[in-house]
Amino acid sequence: MNSQGRHFLQIPGPSPVPERVLRAIGMPVIDHRGPEFQKLGREVLDGCKSIFKTSGPVIIYPSSGTGAWEAAIVNTLSPGDRVLMVETGHFATQWRQMAARWGIEVDFVDGDWRHGVDPSVVEARLAEDRAHSIKAVMVVHNETSTGATSRIADVRKAMDQAHHPALLMVDTISSLGSCEYKHDEWNVDVTVSCSQKGLMLPPGLGFTAVSKKALAASKSNKLPRSYWDWEDMLKANTGGSFPYTPSTNLLYGLREAIALLLEEGLDAVFDRHQRLAAATRAAVRAWGLEVLCQEPLDYSPVLTAVLLPDGHDADRFRKIVLDKFNMSLGAGLSKLAGKVFRIGHLGECNTLTLMAALSGIEMGLDLAGIPHQAGGVMAAMASLKELGNTRENTLKVAMA
């Protein structure tokens, strides 16, 4: 294996951690019951609100995103409750499985793993539920396994048009900090996320942003919880503390990561991701390969999943790229295993990082004997020149 130079971590998370964040995490451990930590706690709890775009509470767990998933379920639902979910990919399927384990009845809308959620389907399903037995609509915002992003504002509009009182729960595990998200404006009830994607931290923190409606549901639902209980967390958080030992040093990193995002400006962060994504898709098409996501409105700014021709093993291709160029690409998950590879272009990723990654991919396609046309790197360069650095240009070609 070629281990010279820096490793290119081009998977869709965990994403590379900026040096400033790494240095912050390296701070000495402090007393998590003392005044210095309480100041840190208040800073990160308030700072998270600006990233989620909410005035309500954001709860931080020492956990993975999966833990935050479970917290969303056990704090709002009861055994036997019905929820509506859509099969957008691997992670929507996993969230469904978790809900079923808690005795939740899941209406799972079949999908082809190549599109985001169709808001009209949500509206139709809710309109049929005249008894309002569906207690929640649960949506994965950015499906990391497929590179398709669902339009949450449109999903909320569909729910409102159906005049349905269900909670809206959204998984932003790979999208928060990478693409536009508005917890309050889109009237989301529970937003789930984690640290190791757009927030540019190591794994280890889970988040739930919660609405007043979700908090009210947590007062009367019947699922048991202890570690995940919102009430205990919110009570301690009022003073900048936590009811059990927090991930102190990751919280130092979180404070620095929030500062990085706000210094660049969230709109600029989102525009950067859109430019890099459009350039990546330009490269894929120039190679004569296929972007897995088929709906331009759903193209992900976080990652691009690339479908290889029949008879060619994506995992073999990924191994060649790793061995020859010291670059990791994302694997195909579950039924996409061996069929696709995924290019992450999120977090601490800029124009030159992406161009180097695409160069490694183009060379890897040659070495792996995968049928393709040359010129993907040049097409990406042309796309980036066309897009420039203005928000107006980015929005014009975000669906390119």
Side-chain angles (χ1 to χ4, degrees), residues 7 12 22 105-106 117 128 132 178 226 263 283 287 294 329 332 334 347 360 370 386 396:
H7 176 67
L22 287 171
E105 182 184 339
V106 181
V117 173
E128 293 170 358
H132 294 169
S178 299
S226 175
E263 285 168 17
W287 290 324
Q294 292 182 317
L329 298 169
S334 52
I370 294 172
E386 180 185 355
K396 284 180 181 178

Side-chain angles (χ1 to χ4, degrees), residues 169-222:
M169 301 188 191
V170 181
D171 167 345
T172 66
I173 284 173
S174 62
S175 58
L176 188 75
S178 299
C179 57
E180 187 172 64
Y181 188 79
K182 301 176 180 179
H183 177 87
D184 282 2
E185 184 176 323
W186 294 346
N187 199 15
V188 179
D189 293 298
V190 183
T191 299
V192 173
S193 200
C194 69
S195 55
Q196 73 268 22
K197 309 276 188 173
L199 292 180
M200 303 176 291
L201 287 158
L205 296 178
F207 304 87
T208 54
V210 295
S211 71
K212 291 180 180 179
K213 183 177 176 180
L215 287 173
S218 73
K219 303 296 183 182
S220 59
N221 79 306
K222 303 300 183 184

Side-chain angles (χ1 to χ4, degrees), residues 5 32 58 65 107 130 195 228-229 255 261 273 277 302 318 336 380 386 398-399:
H32 63 286
V58 178
D107 290 0
R130 294 183 177 86
S195 55
W228 305 116
D229 196 297
R255 181 172 65 181
L261 290 169
H273 283 76
V302 177
R318 290 175 48 255
L336 295 176
E386 180 185 355
M399 294 187 296

Side-chain angles (χ1 to χ4, degrees), residues 31-310:
D31 175 11
H32 63 286
R33 306 295 182 199
E36 184 180 354
F37 178 82
Q38 289 177 336
K39 179 175 182 292
L40 171 65
R42 285 192 292 269
E43 287 176 346
V44 295
L45 288 165
D46 289 342
C48 282
K49 294 179 182 181
S50 62
I51 306 302
F52 283 85
K53 295 193 176 180
T54 181
S55 60
V58 178
I59 299 166
I60 305 173
Y61 293 100
S63 78
S64 66
T66 306
W69 270 356
E70 183 158 322
I73 291 170
V74 300
N75 280 282
T76 59
L77 300 172
S78 298
D81 279 353
R82 289 178 65 202
V83 300
L84 178 65
M85 302 180 74
V86 179
E87 185 189 9
T88 49
H90 174 79
F91 292 100
T93 304
Q94 282 199 324
W95 206 6
R96 172 202 187 184
Q97 292 168 349
M98 176 184 285
R101 289 174 182 173
W102 279 106
I104 306 300
E105 182 184 339
V106 181
D107 290 0
F108 201 53
V109 179
D110 292 339
D112 62 2
W113 291 41
R114 305 195 70 172
H115 297 79
V117 173
D118 182 345
S120 67
V121 171
V122 173
E123 182 177 353
R125 290 294 185 105
L126 294 180
E128 293 170 358
D129 180 33
R130 294 183 177 86
H132 294 169
S133 62
I134 293 174
K135 301 304 180 184
V137 176
M138 301 167 71
V139 179
V140 175
H141 183 207
N142 185 78
E143 181 53 73
T144 324
S145 64
T146 67
T149 303
S150 294
R151 289 158 274 148
I152 302 303
D154 291 345
V155 171
R156 165 47 71 185
K157 183 178 179 181
M159 295 174 67
D160 292 344
Q161 288 176 337
H163 304 290
H164 201 286
L167 296 167
L168 175 57
M169 301 188 191
V170 181
D171 167 345
T172 66
I173 284 173
S174 62
S175 58
L176 188 75
S178 299
C179 57
E180 187 172 64
Y181 188 79
K182 301 176 180 179
H183 177 87
D184 282 2
E185 184 176 323
W186 294 346
N187 199 15
V188 179
D189 293 298
V190 183
T191 299
V192 173
S193 200
C194 69
S195 55
Q196 73 268 22
K197 309 276 188 173
L199 292 180
M200 303 176 291
L201 287 158
L205 296 178
F207 304 87
T208 54
V210 295
S211 71
K212 291 180 180 179
K213 183 177 176 180
L215 287 173
S218 73
K219 303 296 183 182
S220 59
N221 79 306
K222 303 300 183 184
L223 280 175
R225 65 267 192 184
S226 175
Y227 183 84
W228 305 116
D229 196 297
W230 287 346
E231 185 175 0
D232 290 347
M233 289 289 279
L234 291 172
K235 183 178 179 181
N237 286 171
T238 57
S241 298
F242 293 79
Y244 37 71
T245 307
S247 299
T248 307
N249 286 52
L250 283 179
L251 295 180
Y252 273 125
L254 175 61
R255 181 172 65 181
E256 195 66 27
I258 292 170
L260 279 169
L261 290 169
L262 296 182
E263 285 168 17
E264 185 176 355
L266 288 178
D267 285 344
V269 170
F270 303 152
D271 291 350
R272 170 168 54 85
H273 283 76
Q274 292 284 9
R275 290 195 300 274
L276 299 180
T280 302
R281 293 192 297 272
V284 173
R285 293 189 180 112
W287 290 324
L289 299 178
E290 190 174 354
V291 174
L292 183 67
C293 180
Q294 292 182 317
E295 171 52 65
L297 288 173
D298 298 342
Y299 285 152
S300 171
V302 177
L303 76 143
T304 301
V306 183
L307 186 64
L308 288 188
D310 289 343

